[in-house]
Amino acid sequence: AARAVMMDRIVTLGGVHLKGEHAQLNADGWLNLSKSAFDVAYDMSLNFTGNPLSTEENLPVGDVKIRGKISGGFQDFSAQVNLSSQSLKLKILDVKGLEVQLEAKGLPQKPAGSIRVKGAVMDQPLKVDTDFAWSGKTLVLRKTRVHLPGIDLRASLSLTP
């Protein structure tokens, strides 16, 4: 069920609730057509545990919860996404206690922000932190740190494809 109301070129969206066999999505927000701006908050859950169609050859097996917010102007908006999973299998990788945080501004043309990842892969702790910026030509990663057992990588780099 969903509710949409338009008044003075502002569309208010509430109570969006979509549910499928293995997925659920909830969202609320607004769209201001006069100012070409929007603000949407959402949460989504996916559960592919015990699903015979979810095998390591074609889909991740496990659970995923995503909560986020997207807001700003059509040509310059920001996004915050938090993803978590208690257990996820991707091909041969077993991931436990996964937490991912993504924050970006300047979307869609020149995104800049940060990515934070922590969890355990193959029963070994994993932590990745980096700040990023895309100029349209160059990807810059700053304060990048990757921590795995026996590896503590720190770097800043620029990549121009």
Side-chain angles (χ1 to χ4, degrees):
R3 181 184 83 257
V5 176
M6 184 167 179
M7 184 180 296
D8 297 326
R9 297 189 41 91
I10 298 172
V11 179
T12 303
L13 189 61
V16 174
H17 180 74
L18 303 171
K19 187 172 183 177
E21 186 177 355
H22 301 286
Q24 182 172 312
L25 172 68
N26 299 301
D28 290 286
W30 55 263
L31 172 67
N32 186 323
L33 299 171
S34 296
K35 295 183 178 179
S36 298
F38 63 97
D39 187 312
V40 177
Y42 65 92
D43 65 79
M44 180 171 40
S45 61
L46 305 169
N47 187 345
F48 292 105
T49 56
N51 177 5
L53 296 177
S54 266
T55 64
E56 50 199 60
E57 289 84 29
N58 60 13
L59 289 173
V61 177
D63 68 291
V64 176
K65 293 182 180 172
I66 304 167
R67 180 173 295 255
K69 182 175 180 170
I70 303 170
S71 62
F74 293 169
Q75 299 301 317
D76 184 14
F77 60 92
S78 62
Q80 297 85 34
V81 179
N82 293 306
L83 179 146
S84 63
S85 175
Q86 293 302 309
S87 177
L88 192 61
K89 186 169 185 173
L90 306 162
K91 298 263 182 199
I92 61 168
L93 292 178
D94 283 318
V95 181
K96 306 274 188 214
L98 178 66
E99 293 180 28
V100 179
Q101 295 177 331
L102 168 67
E103 293 186 9
K105 61 182 181 178
L107 293 163
Q109 301 298 320
K110 295 184 178 179
S114 63
I115 300 172
R116 311 285 179 242
V117 179
K118 67 179 178 177
V121 177
M122 306 301 283
D123 294 323
Q124 299 296 314
L126 163 71
K127 186 173 181 184
V128 177
D129 293 314
T130 192
D131 293 337
F132 67 88
W134 171 252
S135 69
K137 293 183 181 181
T138 302
L139 175 63
V140 176
L141 301 177
R142 288 186 298 272
K143 302 179 193 173
T144 301
R145 184 170 182 187
V146 178
H147 182 74
L148 296 160
I151 299 174
D152 191 9
L153 172 70
R154 295 171 192 238
S156 291
L157 61 122
S158 296
L159 303 167
T160 304

